[in-house]
Structures are given as structure tokens and as C-alpha cells.
Amino acid sequence: MDFSLFYFADGSVGDSDAGDSGGGRYDLLLEGAKYADTHGFSAVWTPERHFHPFGGLYPNPSVTGAAVAAVTERVAVRAGSVVAPLHHPLRIAEEWSVVDNLSGGRAGLSLASGWNAVDFALRPEGYAGRKTAVIEAVGQVRALWRGEPLAVTDGAGNPAEVRVFPPPVQRELPIWVTSAGGAETFRAAGAAGAGVLTHLLGQDIDQLTEKIALYREALAQRPGHDGRPGHVALMLHTYLGDDPEKVRETVREPFTAYLKSSFGLIARSAGSILSGFDPDKLRESDIDFLVRRSFDTYYNTSGLFGTVEQASAVVERARAAGVDELACLIDFGVGKDEVLTGLDHLDALREATT
């Protein structure tokens, strides 16, 4: 099992620690990346999020990835994820080629379809076809990465062919497709020969096991398949310590606030597929109740919390499901110093279960 660090902070959490200027908002990212680099972790992932405090520290993973590249030497630098329908594939390939050069060939990215309609204020026309666009982008970005030209129309209306500069260091770009749990996305990622980045929001480990089987089946049936098993990375909120009760109380308040920050976005996404569901009509007390229940569910079944011994059981369940990497989300509101101290326990877990 590989272990990596994943970041998806609520931009409104921890501002008091950062000071009025917000100058410390990225300290945990950089200090955690340095730790991962020197302790055998596989990668550092940063996402793409727009126009909302939830995840809002990360509007461009190539920028944060470049910062991670500058302070590390070994660990892979990954996007988790680039919202492909918001960007031209040329722009994705260009930006990440720069990161690949800055890191000496350590770049990788997961492409996502996007799920929040407001994000598409950047490119409204990309929203309707976002599900198919993400798989198309896998092939387009790969081709550009290899140096193949792309036919375009220039500003004067003339046909042209363009290539990406600077050339990347890696010949092949490590690439994943982000899935919120849809079986078809797992199949599509396998058919495209990409990895999968997923989480346990809206699916349990048994359901994930079935979808990973679908992914590997589609991968094996892909023309020209080289026999490799693919790669599945599972994001889990993570905080470990010596005392299970102390860990629970340490994470309860910040993680509950984190879940509440995300509630509106997730509920509106659910409302788009659940007829008659309107999250704006929920009372504050109803939201608080749902969030408290969510905390218990996440803590007990969908996160990497507690002691190394407790977390080892989670690792083994994930391994049995077919997961190759645990992407440990550490920036959900626990204080920076406590998180960094907790990384020693996570590293012990990594050594015990790798």
C-alpha cells in the first residue's frame, strides 16, 4: 500500500492561525510536503476548487504543485484534480509540463468532470458535456504530453498546428480519473488506461470493491493492454495519535465544522438528482443534526482515525478491496502543529503496512 498526502482545506478554517494577512495559509501544505518527501510517502495531491471556502485555498493545482516541487526532491507532485471541462487541454498540458520540469519529472494529475455548477462560471459551455469531456481530455493531454501536434484555429481564423512547450521531462504522464463513485466512471477510466482517484462519500468499502473490479475488468479488455493492473487511489480524512479518545475529541469540532462547510455544496449536488430536495429549506437545527450524524459515520467507517493499530484494520480492508494507495487528507481543520506531529503516527502506519 502506498501512502500520500492530500489537501482540500476549507479556506475559512484556520484563518485565525494565519493572521489577518492570511500569510500562513499554505504553511501546512509546504511543511507536510517536506515531511512526505523525507519519509517515504508517494505523493502530495492538491485539488482544483473555485468560488467557495470549501477547498477554496486551491483554485489552481499547478500553482500549488509548483510550490511543492520547489521544496521537495523525491515525492510525486499531483493534481487531485484538474476539472478538465473548465480548461483547454493545451493549457492543462502546458501548466503541468512546467511542474514536471520544476520537479525533475515528478508530475502527475487526475482529471475530473466537475460537480458544482457555479464552478462553470469560468466556462459555462463546458457544463452539459462534462462527463464525456473528461475522458476525451485524458487522450488529448496524453498526446500533447508526448509532443504530438494539435490542430487548432488561430486568432485570425486560420488553421494551425501547435505543440506544448516546454517539453516535459517524463515521456508518459501519470494520469488518473476522479470518480465520486459512479460505476461508469470506473469503467471509463479502465477503458482509457488511466488510474482512478476516489473517496468514500456516497459509497462504502463493499461497493468500492465491486467498482474496482469493474475498473480492472475494463482495463484488461482495453486493446493493447500491457498487463499492468492499473492504480486506484482512495482519499481518506486522516488523523492518528496514541490515545483513541483524545484523537476523537481533537478532530470532532474541526471536522464537524469542515463537514458543515461542505454541506451546502454536497446537498445541492444531491438536489440535482433527487427530485423535490431543496437544501435551502432545511433548518439550521436539521443541518446540525445531519452533520453530527455524518461525523460519526465518517469517523467510524470512512476515515483513517484513531491509533496506528485501529488504522491498520482500515488499511487492510482497503487493500482487500483492491486499493493501491491511500491519499490521506490532513488539512480539515486540526491545528497545524498537531497535524504535523500526527504525521509521525501516519508514518508508523505506513511502515507497518506497506
Side-chain angles (χ1 to χ4, degrees):
M1 182 68 71
D2 290 336
F3 285 76
S4 57
L5 298 186
F6 197 102
Y7 290 82
F8 207 106
D10 180 341
S12 65
V13 172
D15 275 1
S16 59
D17 295 334
D20 292 339
S21 67
R25 289 192 178 110
Y26 297 94
D27 287 353
L28 180 55
L29 169 64
L30 299 179
E31 292 303 313
K34 293 174 187 176
Y35 187 99
D37 194 53
T38 57
H39 286 77
F41 287 73
S42 298
V44 174
W45 304 77
T46 55
E48 177 180 357
R49 281 289 298 119
H50 300 284
F51 316 131
H52 194 279
F54 184 65
L57 287 183
Y58 301 102
N60 188 334
S62 67
V63 174
T64 48
V68 169
V71 299
T72 58
E73 297 180 355
R74 184 202 59 81
V75 73
V77 182
R78 298 180 187 159
S81 309
V82 173
V83 182
L86 295 182
H87 309 285
H88 197 289
L90 280 165
R91 195 62 176 143
I92 298 172
E94 279 185 335
E95 290 187 356
W96 281 92
S97 182
V98 172
V99 176
D100 203 48
N101 277 269
L102 288 170
S103 65
R106 293 183 281 134
L109 67 148
S110 189
L111 296 175
S113 61
W115 55 281
N116 185 34
V118 176
D119 289 1
F120 284 80
L122 294 171
R123 191 169 176 265
E125 66 275 15
Y127 187 71
R130 64 193 184 279
K131 296 293 185 181
T132 56
V134 67
I135 300 300
E136 292 172 0
V138 170
Q140 293 168 329
V141 173
R142 275 178 169 161
L144 289 164
W145 194 269
R146 294 172 184 148
E148 297 175 20
L150 181 67
V152 297
T153 301
D154 68 18
N158 299 316
E161 283 192 343
V162 296
R163 289 180 170 85
V164 166
F165 292 95
V169 175
Q170 299 176 97
R171 172 63 179 168
E172 295 290 337
L173 174 66
I175 198 163
W176 290 256
V177 174
T178 302
S179 173
E184 287 306 314
T185 305
F186 277 76
R187 286 195 188 96
V196 173
L197 172 64
T198 191
H199 51 68
L200 291 179
L201 176 65
Q203 61 181 340
D204 59 29
I205 198 72
D206 292 333
Q207 293 168 327
L208 177 60
T209 302
E210 295 173 0
K211 292 165 191 173
I212 291 175
L214 294 175
Y215 161 70
R216 294 217 156 94
E217 180 182 1
L219 184 70
Q221 294 174 352
R222 184 172 182 259
H225 177 52
D226 59 9
R228 296 179 183 178
H231 189 272
V232 177
L234 175 64
M235 186 276 290
L236 292 175
H237 295 83
T238 300
Y239 181 75
L240 302 179
D242 288 322
D243 183 338
E245 291 306 315
K246 184 177 180 181
V247 169
R248 190 181 187 95
E249 290 313 305
T250 298
V251 303
R252 181 185 296 278
E253 184 176 346
F255 193 44
T256 299
Y258 183 83
L259 291 171
K260 189 170 183 178
S261 173
S262 68
F263 179 84
L265 289 174
I266 295 170
R268 285 177 180 81
S269 178
S272 67
I273 57 175
L274 297 176
S275 178
F277 178 73
D278 184 355
D280 291 328
K281 293 183 179 179
L282 290 175
R283 297 174 298 181
E284 190 74 13
S285 58
D286 295 329
I287 295 173
D288 288 339
F289 171 78
L290 291 171
V291 167
R292 286 195 301 272
R293 291 291 298 271
S294 295
F295 171 82
D296 291 334
T297 299
Y298 263 102
Y299 191 91
N300 294 321
T301 66
S302 303
L304 204 58
F305 295 119
T307 64
V308 170
E309 182 179 2
Q310 289 173 320
S312 294
V314 177
V315 175
E316 294 311 315
R317 285 197 298 272
R319 195 197 307 274
V323 172
D324 302 290
E325 176 181 327
L326 295 181
C328 302
L329 194 156
I330 61 172
D331 63 336
F332 54 85
V334 175
K336 181 189 73 173
D337 292 341
E338 291 174 296
V339 172
L340 293 174
T341 299
L343 290 181
D344 287 336
H345 298 282
L346 182 58
D347 189 41
L349 175 68
R350 181 193 62 78
E351 290 186 339
T353 57
T354 297

